[in-house]
Amino acid sequence: AYVNCSMQMANTDIGLIAAASAILLAFALKDMQRQIIPNKWIMIAAPLAAMASIFWSEALRQPIFYFEQYDRVFSVAIDALLAQNLAYAFIFLLAKLTRGDIGGGDAKLAMLIGLITGVRMLVPALAIGLAAGALITYAREKPTPLAPFLAASTIGVLLMNKRLMSVQQWQNHWQKSLL
């Protein structure tokens, strides 16, 4: 199997999680203060996240597709681009459907989150962040900045990745055994 859940996080992973957390928290604070996610910040953070994605260890970042004929870097790069586009398209569609409750900046932040997490961690990061944001917005009965929830859920998913991978392996095991 490609995944080894018993591996500990490498020092590089801890540094990358800290850097990603700092960047995401900066976006969250800006969104809370001004309800805007600056394009300049995205233009700086996105290429950095794309370059950093190749340095994640295999314990933390596993591409959804692994191209045997190429090295791991190629597979991770394709995974990052796929996650980026899926995240942007999904949040952009939600932004159009909610008629302004979710902004274009949130879609750009989701794109950055896709670059950071890859496809496997993207779904839980977005699902948790969107659910928490929706609950708080519903409780407050007024629009709430979404970036803090997306940032917190992404950081949580990065830190809990080892357990998430264990769940995915368990699901894969049962799917294979049923076939």
Side-chain angles (χ1 to χ4, degrees), residues 86-116:
L86 288 172
Y88 182 82
F90 180 70
I91 300 297
F92 183 79
L93 179 64
L94 279 179
K96 293 297 180 190
L97 292 174
T98 59
R99 297 186 182 109
D101 288 344
I102 297 175
D106 296 320
K108 291 179 280 188
L109 180 62
M111 175 201 71
L112 179 64
I113 289 169
L115 283 171
I116 292 169

Side-chain angles (χ1 to χ4, degrees), residues 95-168:
K96 293 297 180 190
L97 292 174
T98 59
R99 297 186 182 109
D101 288 344
I102 297 175
D106 296 320
K108 291 179 280 188
L109 180 62
M111 175 201 71
L112 179 64
I113 289 169
L115 283 171
I116 292 169
T117 63
V119 175
R120 289 188 192 272
M121 292 185 287
L122 177 66
V123 173
L126 290 182
I128 294 166
L130 288 169
L135 286 172
I136 298 299
T137 299
Y138 179 76
R140 291 181 61 201
E141 297 180 353
K142 66 178 189 174
T144 306
L146 187 58
F149 300 102
L150 292 176
S153 65
T154 302
I155 294 166
V157 165
L158 287 172
L159 293 173
M160 296 297 294
N161 181 51
K162 187 174 174 184
R163 286 193 173 84
L164 290 173
M165 287 302 173
S166 297
V167 169
Q168 286 178 349

